[in-house]
C-alpha cells in the first residue's frame, strides 16, 4: 500500500475517539426511520394541532406538486417563487398581524436570515441563554458582538442594553422555549428594547397555532404584532403541518432581507407542495380556532396528571411538556421503554439542553383524546426510572 493511501485512510481516525467519548457519556444519537403508518401513540412530534395528515393539507400538497412540480427549481430570486409562495406570505402576515412576510426553506434558515441581515460587526445582539440552536448559530454567523443573558430575565436584557447605549442593537428570544415549554416575557423585553432604541426579534416557532387569539401567536398575545420595531420568525413545520419557515415584520425589513439575507438569496426556494400545505394549514387554523385552546388544555392536563403521580414536570405555557429524568442513560431507557409499550416520546439530553438535565419531551397535540392522554400518562408513570 502506498503511503498516500495510508494517509487517506487515517484522515478521519479522530472520529472514532469522538464516538467513544459520546458513548461513554450516554450521548449517542441514532436515526430511526419511521413507517408511513404506525400504531404508536405519538407524543414526540411537533404536530401540535394534529394537522399533518388532515386530507385538506395532504391534498393541497399533492395538487401543488402535480401543478408546479416536485421542487421549486431554484432560488426564490431566480425561478423558485410561485404564486403559492406569494399567497402564503400575504395570508400569513395578515393572520399574524404583520405588514409583510418572507417564506424560507426552513425555520432554521429564517432565523439565520433575520439575525445575519439585521446585524453586523458593529451591532450588539442580546440573546436568551435558552434560545434555540438556530438562534445561536445566527448570532455566530452575524459576526456581531453577542451578549448571552440569563434565561427569561428582562432586567438582565435592560442592563446589557444600558451598558451599550447608543449602539445598534437587537434582542432575540424564543417566544416559547422548546425544552421546558416556558414563555419569554415579551412585553418586558419590548419595553427594555424601546428604552434603548433596540429591535426585538422573536422566534415564534412554538407559539404560532397555540398562543394568541385563534392561534395567532405569542406576539399577538403580547400586543406586539405589527409593531415597527418587532420582527417574528416562525416555522411552517409545527402547527401548520407542513415544512418551511418565515420572517414577518415591517415591509422595509422584509425588503431588506430579500436583498441581503444569504439563506434567502442562495438557497433553493421552499417546494410548492410544502407552501400549499402550509397555506391549507393556515386556513384550517382560521376555520377551527378552538384548536389552539385544545392544545393548551391537553398540555395542562398532561402536566397535572404527571405531577400528581409524583413525577417532576415543568408547567407548560404552550404545548410542550417536559418531564425530568435522572440521567442521560435513564432518559434513553425511559423513552425506549415507552416505545416498547406503544408510546413515542421525545428525549432531550445534553448538549441539546442548556442546563444539562435530561428530559422526556411530550407534545400536547390538539387531536389527542382524553383516553389517549390517560394511556400516555399511565405508560410514562409505569416505565419511569427510579429517581
Amino acid at each position: 500500500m502506498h503511503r498516500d493511501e495510508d494517509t487517506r485512510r487515517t484522515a478521519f481516525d479522530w472520529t472514532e475517539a469522538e464516538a467513544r467519548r459520546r458513548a461513554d457519556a450516554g450521548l449517542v444519537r441514532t436515526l430511526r426511520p419511521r413507517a408511513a403508518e404506525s400504531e404508536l401513540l405519538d407524543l414526540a412530534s411537533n404536530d401540535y394541532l394534529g394537522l399533518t395528515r388532515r386530507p385538506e393539507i395532504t391534498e393541497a400538497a399533492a395538487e401543488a406538486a402535480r401543478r408546479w412540480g416536485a421542487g421549486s427549481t431554484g432560488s426564490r430570486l431566480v425561478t423558485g417563487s410561485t404564486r403559492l409562495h406569494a399567497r402564503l406570505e400575504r395570508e400569513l402576515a395578515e393572520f399574524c398581524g404583520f405588514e409583510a412576510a418572507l417564506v424560507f426553506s426552513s425555520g432554521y434558515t429564517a432565523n439565520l436570515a433575520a439575525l445575519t441581515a439585521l446585524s453586523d460587526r458593529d451591532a450588539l445582539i442580546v440573546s436568551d441563554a435558552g434560545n434555540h440552536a438556530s438562534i445561536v448559530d445566527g448570532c455566530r454567523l452575524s459576526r456581531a458582538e453577542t451578549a448571552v443573558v440569563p434565561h427569561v430575565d428582562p432586567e438582565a436584557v435592560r442592563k446589557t442594553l444600558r451598558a451599550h447605549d447608543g449602539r445598534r442593537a437587537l434582542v432575540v428570544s424564543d417566544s416559547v422555549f422548546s425544552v421546558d415549554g416556558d414563555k419569554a416575557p415579551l412585553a418586558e423585553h419590548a419595553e427594555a428594547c424601546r428604552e434603548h432604541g433596540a429591535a426585538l426579534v422573536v422566534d415564534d416557532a412554538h407559539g404560532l397555532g397555540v398562543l394568541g387569539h385563534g392561534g395567532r401567536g405569542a406576539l399577538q398575545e403580547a400586543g406586539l404584532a405589527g409593531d415597527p420595531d418587532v420582527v417574528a420568525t416562525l416555522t411552517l413545520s409545527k402547527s401548520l403541518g407542513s415544512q418551511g419557515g418565515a420572517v414577518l415584520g415591517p415591509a422595509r425589513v422584509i425588503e431588506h432581507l430579500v436583498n441581503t439575507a444569504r439563506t434567502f438569496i442562495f438557497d433553493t426556494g421552499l417546494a410548492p407542495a410544502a407552501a400549499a400545505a402550509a397555506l391549507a394549514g393556515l386556513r384550517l387554523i382560521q376555520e377551527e380556532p378552538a384548536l389552539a385552546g385544545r392544545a393548551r388544555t391537553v398540555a395542562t392536563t398532561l402536566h397535572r396528571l404527571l405531577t400528581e403521580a409524583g413525577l417532576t414536570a415543568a408547567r407548560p405555557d404552550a404545548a410542550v411538556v417536559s418531564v425530568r429524568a435522572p440521567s442521560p442513560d435513564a432518559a434513553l431507557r425511559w423513552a425506549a421503554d415507552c416505545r416498547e409499550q406503544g408510546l413515542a416520546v421525545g428525549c432531550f439530553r445534553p448538549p441539546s439542553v442548556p442546563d444539562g438535565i435530561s428530559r422526556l419531551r411530550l407534545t400536547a397535540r390538539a387531536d389527542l383524546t382524553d383516553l389517549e392522554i390517560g394511556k400516555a400518562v399511565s405508560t410514562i408513570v409505569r416505565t419511569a426510572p427510579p429517581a
Side-chain angles (χ1 to χ4, degrees):
M1 185 182 297
H2 296 297
R3 189 173 185 282
D4 65 334
E5 292 180 3
D6 287 333
T7 302
R8 281 181 282 171
R9 289 183 183 275
T10 61
F12 291 111
D13 282 356
W14 60 271
T15 62
E16 296 177 10
E18 288 293 300
R20 288 192 294 272
R21 179 186 62 78
R22 287 192 294 272
D24 290 343
L27 300 177
V28 176
R29 292 177 169 87
T30 57
L31 292 171
R32 187 189 293 114
R34 63 178 174 87
E37 302 292 338
S38 174
E39 295 183 357
L40 290 173
L41 176 57
D42 177 21
L43 268 71
S45 74
N46 288 319
D47 187 17
Y48 292 136
L49 304 184
L51 299 185
T52 299
R53 291 181 176 272
R54 284 281 292 265
E56 300 93 324
I57 291 181
T58 56
E59 287 304 313
E63 174 57 29
R66 286 190 290 267
R67 182 178 182 188
W68 297 96
S72 66
T73 76
S75 161
R76 292 281 309 275
L77 289 169
V78 184
T79 58
S81 276
T82 69
R83 291 174 186 152
L84 285 172
H85 293 84
R87 197 174 305 142
L88 174 59
E89 287 165 346
R90 183 173 63 253
E91 294 191 22
L92 193 59
E94 182 179 348
F95 177 71
C96 295
F98 286 85
E99 191 175 11
L102 190 64
V103 165
F104 288 78
S105 60
S106 71
Y108 211 109
T109 57
N111 272 339
L112 297 187
L115 292 168
T116 57
L118 299 178
S119 64
D120 56 27
R121 291 182 186 273
D122 298 323
L124 170 72
I125 298 177
V126 183
S127 178
D128 188 288
N131 279 340
H132 187 263
S134 58
I135 294 177
V136 174
D137 287 351
C139 291
R140 290 170 175 167
L141 289 170
S142 73
R143 297 181 289 183
E145 179 184 351
T146 300
V148 178
V149 294
H151 184 49
V152 293
D153 189 341
E155 188 54 35
V157 171
R158 181 175 282 105
K159 289 179 178 178
T160 304
L161 291 173
R162 186 183 302 132
H164 297 81
D165 216 2
R167 189 173 179 185
R168 179 154 63 94
L170 62 84
V171 173
V172 60
S173 177
D174 284 320
S175 64
V176 176
F177 294 90
S178 61
V179 174
D180 275 337
D182 53 328
K183 283 194 301 188
L186 296 182
E188 291 88 341
H189 284 342
E191 182 181 350
C193 286
R194 287 160 187 174
E195 290 173 5
H196 300 279
L200 178 62
V201 177
V202 177
D203 179 354
D204 204 21
H206 300 277
L208 177 68
V210 178
L211 299 178
H213 178 64
R216 284 169 171 79
L219 285 158
Q220 192 271 345
E221 180 185 60
L224 299 172
D227 284 0
D229 55 350
V230 174
V231 166
T233 65
L234 47 83
T235 177
L236 313 178
S237 63
K238 295 180 172 62
S239 289
L240 296 186
S242 182
Q243 188 168 351
V247 179
L248 289 70
R252 61 179 179 173
V253 170
I254 299 305
E255 190 271 341
H256 178 74
L257 264 60
V258 169
N259 285 276
T260 62
R262 293 172 66 84
T263 56
F264 180 81
I265 297 169
F266 299 107
D267 190 23
T268 297
L270 183 68
L279 186 59
L282 182 63
R283 291 171 177 173
L284 272 176
I285 292 175
Q286 294 176 80
E287 293 168 6
E288 302 178 27
L291 286 171
R294 174 60 184 171
R296 297 194 302 272
T297 297
V298 172
T300 56
T301 302
L302 283 169
H303 172 265
R304 177 177 57 81
L305 294 175
L306 290 167
T307 53
E308 286 176 353
L311 298 178
T312 302
R315 184 179 299 279
D317 287 329
V320 174
V321 181
S322 74
V323 189
R324 293 197 172 195
S327 69
D329 284 337
L332 272 179
R333 288 195 301 272
W334 196 0
D337 289 344
C338 285
R339 188 176 189 86
E340 285 183 5
Q341 298 198 29
L343 175 67
V345 296
C347 179
F348 275 24
R349 300 167 292 150
S352 299
V353 286
D355 59 7
I357 300 172
S358 296
R359 297 162 169 83
L360 295 190
R361 180 183 183 276
L362 315 178
T363 299
R365 295 198 337 263
D367 61 336
L368 290 177
T369 66
D370 291 344
L371 184 64
E372 288 171 329
I373 294 169
K375 176 185 176 183
V377 170
S378 64
T379 301
I380 292 166
V381 171
R382 187 170 58 250
T383 57

